[in-house]
């Protein structure tokens, strides 16, 4: 998967620009607060239909502009065009210039894997943030998972409304429970597959980047144990929790309460890892995500590395670049051009206050 060009209009601090990208390595340089991260954010929006930084779409519209537009042409066997138009009333998604009604028809057409300094919070964030990340990555390559997750969330909302009633209809509660159990089985199976696949690749990436023999993995904190009878376990769980749910008027447990944990040599990284080790665990996780996407979709995602090199020593910088340079299209941001990268074939763009210069070819974009 290769992004050929990226078009921005009234997005963040960009008035109007178009970027023609190198199919392999691209370096975006510039001082802080000039728009480097904004550029990567636009690609995340094109992948997920939403930003990884904020919850309000309107904040992405340039000051005093009426709308923002993001678009790209990418190649994954054939050329495809996708666009997102953000306006005060919401956003419009277009594929081949035609609007699509459901975000499920848009999400994952372009798959990008982002490493951002903000990701470091994933270790100590509330479980919902790790679930969001888990759901996001599976959703991009599994429409069936997205359908099951959406269905479960709708049922959960209806169940909580029912539980808040003074005299809930128990027969209707039984129906909702059975429907939620069916969808939960599918969700747990997909999450198990995801964790199993990540852990088949992540330890090797960690060892290669860090140069150590320690093992970095993720652990699935599921409401079901590892037996095959997920349905039976969930039925027992819902029945055992029913009196509590009726008392507190909310669904206290389910797949919406699950979590994952990052471990280093069998210990939670929040207890056992240094900041440098956490960064390398996260990088190895992101690289394993690329394998997961390739396995399920047959397409290699675009890798976005936001200011990652400055946080690694030179040896680990070189190891990382060696691992990715011929594997995928990569867009890296940095405040300056790392000297060791000059030996690689790379296109450099320099950003100053939303204005981009292709320093490899010269000239304003």
């Amino acid at each position: 998967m290769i992004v050929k060009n990226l078009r921005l209009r009234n997005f963040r601090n960009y008035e109007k620009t178009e970027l023609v990208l190198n199919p392999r390595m691209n370096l975006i340089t510039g001082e802080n607060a000039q728009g480097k991260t904004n550029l990567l954010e636009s690609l995340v929006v094109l992948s997920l239909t939403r930003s990884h930084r904020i919850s309000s779409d309107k904040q992405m519209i340039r000051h005093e502009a009426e709308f923002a537009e993001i678009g790209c042409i990418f190649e994954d066997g054939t050329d495809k065009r996708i666009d997102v138009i953000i306006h005060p009333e919401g956003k419009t998604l277009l594929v081949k210039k035609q609007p699509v009604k459901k975000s499920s028809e848009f999400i994952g057409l372009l798959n990008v894997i982002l490493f951002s300094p903000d990701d470091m919070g994933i270790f100590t964030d509330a479980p919902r943030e790790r679930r969001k990340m888990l759901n996001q990555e599976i959703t991009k390559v599994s429409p069936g998972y997205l359908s099951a997750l959406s269905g479960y969330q709708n049922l959960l909302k209806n169940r909580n409304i029912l539980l808040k009633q003074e005299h809930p209809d128990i027969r209707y509660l039984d129906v909702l429970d059975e429907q939620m159990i069916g969808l939960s089985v599918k969700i747990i199976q997909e999450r198990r597959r995801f964790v199993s696949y990540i852990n088949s690749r992540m330890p090797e990436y960690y060892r290669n980047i860090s140069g150590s023999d320690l093992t970095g993995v993720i652990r699935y904190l599921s409401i079901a144990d590892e037996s095959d009878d997920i349905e039976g376990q969930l039925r027992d769980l819902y029945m055992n929790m029913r009196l509590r749910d009726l008392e507190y008027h909310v669904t206290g447990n389910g797949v919406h309460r699950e979590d994952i944990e990052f471990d280093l040599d069998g210990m939670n990284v929040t207890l056992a890892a240094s900041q440098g080790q956490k960064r390398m665990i996260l990088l190895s996780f992101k690289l394993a995500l690329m394998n997961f996407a390739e396995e399920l979709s047959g397409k290699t995602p675009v890798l976005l590395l936001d200011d990652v090199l400055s946080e690694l020593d030179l040896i680990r910088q070189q190891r990382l670049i060696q691992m990715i340079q011929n594997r995928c299209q990569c867009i890296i941001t940095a405040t300056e051009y790392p000297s060791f990268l000059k030996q690689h074939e790379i296109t450099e763009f320099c950003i100053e206050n939303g204005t981009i210069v292709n320093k490899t070819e010269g000239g304003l974009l």
Side-chain angles (χ1 to χ4, degrees):
M1 189 171 287
I2 294 169
V3 177
K4 291 187 169 182
N5 79 337
L6 174 66
R7 291 168 282 101
L8 305 177
R9 184 178 178 190
N10 297 329
F11 178 79
R12 293 288 195 176
N13 64 327
Y14 293 95
E15 182 177 2
K16 188 176 182 181
T17 192
E18 181 170 354
L19 217 61
V20 178
L21 293 163
N22 187 314
R24 286 302 177 190
M25 294 188 69
N26 299 268
L27 178 66
I28 313 294
T29 59
E31 298 296 326
N32 292 328
Q34 300 304 302
K36 301 188 301 296
T37 298
N38 294 346
L39 199 70
L40 300 188
E41 179 186 27
S42 71
L43 289 164
V44 173
V45 175
L46 286 170
S47 179
L48 294 171
T49 75
R50 57 180 174 79
S51 169
H52 64 291
R53 302 163 74 189
I54 54 170
S55 56
S56 173
D57 291 337
K58 287 189 287 187
Q59 290 179 260
M60 293 184 282
I61 301 175
R62 191 169 183 264
H63 181 59
E64 295 186 346
E66 295 182 356
F67 68 94
E69 184 174 358
I70 316 165
C72 79
I73 294 175
F74 68 97
E75 186 270 325
D76 66 349
T78 60
D79 283 356
K80 295 178 180 176
R81 173 173 174 165
I82 56 175
D83 297 89
V84 176
I85 301 173
I86 304 167
H87 39 83
E89 296 77 28
K91 54 180 171 266
T92 303
L93 310 175
L94 300 101
V95 177
K96 298 180 181 178
K97 299 184 180 181
Q98 298 301 312
V100 296
K101 294 182 179 179
K102 297 180 180 179
S103 59
S104 59
E105 300 174 27
F106 192 97
I107 293 173
L109 291 176
L110 172 67
N111 193 348
V112 303
I113 304 292
L114 168 71
F115 178 93
S116 162
D118 293 340
D119 291 339
M120 292 291 286
I122 199 69
F123 303 116
T124 53
D125 280 343
R128 67 175 177 271
E129 295 301 321
R130 288 183 290 277
R131 280 195 304 274
K132 184 167 74 173
M133 178 270 297
L134 180 72
N135 292 334
Q136 167 184 299
E137 297 304 333
I138 302 175
T139 292
K140 287 193 293 187
V141 294
S142 176
Y145 182 82
L146 177 58
S147 175
L149 190 64
S150 298
Y152 176 87
Q153 289 169 341
N154 287 332
L155 291 169
L156 177 63
K157 180 180 178 181
N158 291 336
R159 191 177 193 269
N160 287 335
I161 290 172
L162 178 64
L163 289 170
K164 286 178 171 60
Q165 295 178 5
E166 186 174 354
H167 301 290
D169 184 338
I170 300 302
R171 288 176 297 180
Y172 182 39
L173 187 58
D174 289 337
V175 171
L176 289 175
D177 286 359
E178 283 301 311
Q179 292 176 336
M180 290 174 73
I181 287 168
L183 293 175
S184 296
V185 170
K186 297 176 183 178
I187 291 168
I188 290 171
Q189 288 173 336
E190 288 274 16
R191 288 177 177 177
R192 281 182 178 179
R193 176 171 66 163
F194 173 83
V195 171
S196 176
Y197 192 90
I198 293 298
N199 286 340
S200 72
R201 301 300 180 102
M202 187 173 162
E204 181 181 359
Y205 284 129
Y206 181 82
R207 287 191 288 268
N208 288 343
I209 296 172
S210 67
S212 77
D213 293 329
L214 301 179
T215 300
V217 296
I218 57 174
R219 189 157 62 92
Y220 180 23
L221 307 180
S222 178
I223 56 173
D225 64 30
E226 296 182 1
S227 73
D228 292 332
D229 186 20
I230 303 173
E231 184 175 331
Q233 292 185 65
L234 295 182
R235 190 165 286 112
D236 289 343
L237 174 69
Y238 274 84
M239 289 307 300
N240 292 336
M241 292 291 294
R242 176 166 288 190
L243 289 178
R244 187 260 180 213
D245 290 351
L246 288 167
E247 180 182 358
Y248 288 95
H249 311 293
V250 69
T251 305
N253 211 342
V255 293
H256 62 288
R257 299 289 190 187
E258 292 190 324
D259 197 359
I260 61 169
E261 178 183 278
F262 289 80
D263 287 358
L264 181 61
D265 256 20
M267 293 188 65
N268 189 315
V269 298
T270 58
L271 304 174
S274 68
Q275 284 298 103
Q277 288 172 324
K278 289 176 183 176
R279 190 168 286 105
M280 288 183 286
I281 285 171
L282 199 52
L283 272 170
S284 62
F285 172 70
K286 299 287 184 172
L287 294 174
L289 280 178
M290 295 190 66
N291 288 113
F292 176 74
E294 288 172 327
E295 181 77 14
L296 268 70
S297 69
K299 301 167 186 176
T300 304
V302 178
L303 182 62
L304 312 178
L305 299 177
D306 191 12
D307 197 29
V308 62
L309 297 180
S310 65
E311 301 296 336
L312 299 173
D313 59 42
L314 179 59
I315 291 176
R316 291 187 173 98
Q317 289 180 26
Q318 293 172 327
R319 286 174 181 163
L320 175 62
I321 296 302
Q322 287 171 358
M323 293 167 67
I324 63 176
Q325 62 180 338
N326 294 316
R327 179 181 174 189
C328 62
Q329 185 181 39
C330 184
I331 304 173
I332 305 168
T333 69
T335 53
E336 57 186 23
Y337 201 138
S339 58
F340 81 94
L341 279 181
K342 294 179 180 178
Q343 60 186 294
H344 296 276
E345 183 180 342
I346 191 167
T347 298
E348 182 191 6
F349 301 91
C350 183
I351 298 180
E352 183 174 351
N353 195 27
T355 299
I356 305 176
V357 176
N358 185 329
K359 295 194 71 173
T360 303
E361 297 179 355
L364 293 174
L365 297 177

